[in-house]
Amino acid sequence: MNLLLTGCFKYSDEQMEVLRSLGYNVYFMQQEKKELPLEASKLDAAVCNGLFLSHDIDQFSRLKFIQLTSAGFDRVPVDKIKARGMELFNARGVYSTPMAEWAMFRVLEHYKQGWFFRKEQEGRRWVKHRGLREVAGMKVAVVGAGNVGQEVAKRFKAFGAETTGFDIHTHETAGFDHMVLTETIHERVGEFDVVVVTAPLLSSTLGLISREVLLAMKQDASLVNIARGGLIDEQAMCEVLAERKDLFAALDVFETEPLAEDSPLWRLENVAVSPHNSFVSDGNNARMFAVIYQNLKNFIEL
């Protein structure tokens, strides 16, 4: 079988050999926008990220297996893939730990005034801050109770917070004290001190965190987005955050990336911006390769 690997994952020579040992003819391309190293019609499997944004999937007539290195499916033509009965896998579980830690870090950084103390340290000033807060006893909403959301909830629970998951079901879910339907976010958001967004970007979740939801947030609440920028109405968020100085937003993802230099989000004092970096970790390579290997092994043994 012919397997295409792309530069969306950094393979060691040893990892390449392990995949070849499964029985694959391995072809590699660094940039997914570039010319394919083999005719699309001759490929049986691919490990990629945004490959089909630049190459028409209809040209991959033999393709039966796609492994994504992303957790989301928003960069692949899912309907076509399903219609052709192709096997499609994402990076489920690979990035959950660092993303959950990032959400926890951003809230703690805000509650414990990390920016303030760093600024005072740079000025060599011995200044106390009397406005520090505790996570213990806070109510935390996690919008999207999947793998990432569960890891987020577990960490906040460990700090003594009460956790509520918003999803398309209300089944008992690990890490959550309560589960409610996503459609209730507008009427319930005012109850929470922290709202963490981890849901997938779908037509049903586009702009889920609307102007109305933002305006309804609790006094002094924090919003953390580690999912996709499109889940929040960005223009409305800019306006609401400029108006409501009590709110704090830690944003790792945006509607358009990189974030434009003229975006007001860079300048708002109640916003922490990071460049889609929450998933980065020294543990990702081993977890991702384990997923790639196991799924490719299962596929070739069918």
Side-chain angles (χ1 to χ4, degrees):
M1 285 191 180
N2 294 327
L3 167 65
L4 175 66
L5 304 178
T6 77
C8 63
F9 180 78
K10 187 175 182 179
Y11 300 88
S12 66
D13 292 340
E14 181 182 358
Q15 289 171 334
M16 285 282 201
E17 285 305 313
V18 168
L19 296 182
R20 291 189 181 97
S21 72
L22 292 175
Y24 288 100
N25 300 313
V26 176
Y27 297 85
F28 181 80
M29 62 186 296
Q30 182 62 43
Q31 299 292 333
E32 295 184 336
K33 295 180 179 180
K34 301 293 185 179
E35 183 180 351
L36 296 170
L38 185 69
E39 290 180 31
S41 61
K42 295 181 179 180
L43 290 167
D44 302 286
V47 180
C48 57
N49 187 358
L51 181 68
F52 304 111
L53 296 177
S54 304
H55 300 275
D56 186 356
I57 197 170
D58 290 336
Q59 302 300 314
F60 295 74
S61 55
R62 270 173 47 178
L63 197 64
K64 292 295 182 183
F65 173 99
I66 301 172
Q67 170 69 63
L68 301 176
T69 56
S70 62
F73 293 101
D74 51 297
R75 306 188 78 195
V76 292
V78 175
D79 291 341
K80 286 188 176 183
I81 291 169
K82 287 182 177 180
R84 285 176 49 182
M86 302 166 67
E87 293 195 51
L88 175 63
F89 300 92
N90 69 340
R92 179 178 174 80
V94 173
Y95 310 116
S96 302
T97 292
M99 291 175 71
E101 289 183 356
W102 184 267
M104 191 80 245
F105 152 68
R106 278 307 205 189
V107 172
L108 283 172
E109 180 184 48
H110 176 56
Y111 275 24
K112 303 305 180 184
Q113 294 295 324
W115 291 0
F116 170 85
F117 289 113
R118 182 61 191 179
K119 185 176 179 180
E120 296 308 300
Q121 179 180 337
E122 290 174 353
R124 289 175 288 180
R125 292 183 293 268
W126 185 268
V127 181
K128 296 183 183 297
H129 195 297
R130 302 296 183 181
L132 307 190
R133 302 171 68 185
E134 297 180 1
V135 173
M138 293 297 183
K139 292 187 176 182
V140 178
V142 182
V143 183
N147 196 265
V148 175
Q150 290 171 36
E151 293 300 320
V152 169
K154 289 176 187 176
R155 283 156 179 78
F156 276 96
K157 276 185 66 69
F159 274 72
E162 180 182 329
T163 57
T164 299
F166 286 77
D167 214 303
I168 58 173
H169 66 83
T170 57
H171 309 315
E172 183 175 337
T173 304
F176 293 101
D177 296 303
H178 317 284
M179 286 293 301
V180 298
L181 295 176
T182 303
E183 62 196 48
T184 67
I185 186 67
H186 178 270
E187 59 194 78
R188 298 287 304 274
V189 71
E191 303 172 20
F192 300 99
D193 302 284
V194 177
V195 177
V196 183
V197 182
T198 67
L201 180 59
L202 307 168
S203 58
S204 58
T205 59
L206 182 65
L208 177 66
I209 308 300
S210 62
R211 181 185 302 274
E212 291 71 27
V213 170
L214 292 163
L215 287 171
M217 289 184 70
K218 186 177 181 178
Q219 182 77 18
D220 297 319
S222 297
L223 173 67
V224 181
N225 189 5
I226 52 175
R228 288 290 187 268
L231 287 154
I232 300 177
D233 181 335
E234 195 165 294
Q235 179 60 40
M237 177 172 61
C238 291
E239 295 169 3
V240 171
L241 290 173
E243 177 184 337
R244 288 194 57 182
K245 301 296 187 181
D246 63 293
L247 297 180
F248 170 75
L251 308 171
D252 188 55
V253 289
F254 305 88
E255 288 182 354
T256 300
E257 297 179 357
L259 181 64
E261 290 184 10
D262 61 355
S263 171
L265 293 173
W266 289 109
R267 302 185 299 276
L268 290 173
E269 293 186 2
N270 53 340
V271 174
V273 170
S274 53
H276 203 144
N277 211 87
S278 65
F279 70 94
V280 176
S281 168
D282 56 357
N284 287 346
N285 188 283
R287 285 191 295 267
M288 187 71 248
F289 187 73
V291 170
I292 292 170
Y293 172 81
Q294 191 59 56
N295 287 337
L296 283 171
K297 183 175 185 293
N298 293 342
F299 176 66
I300 204 168
E301 290 178 351
L302 288 177

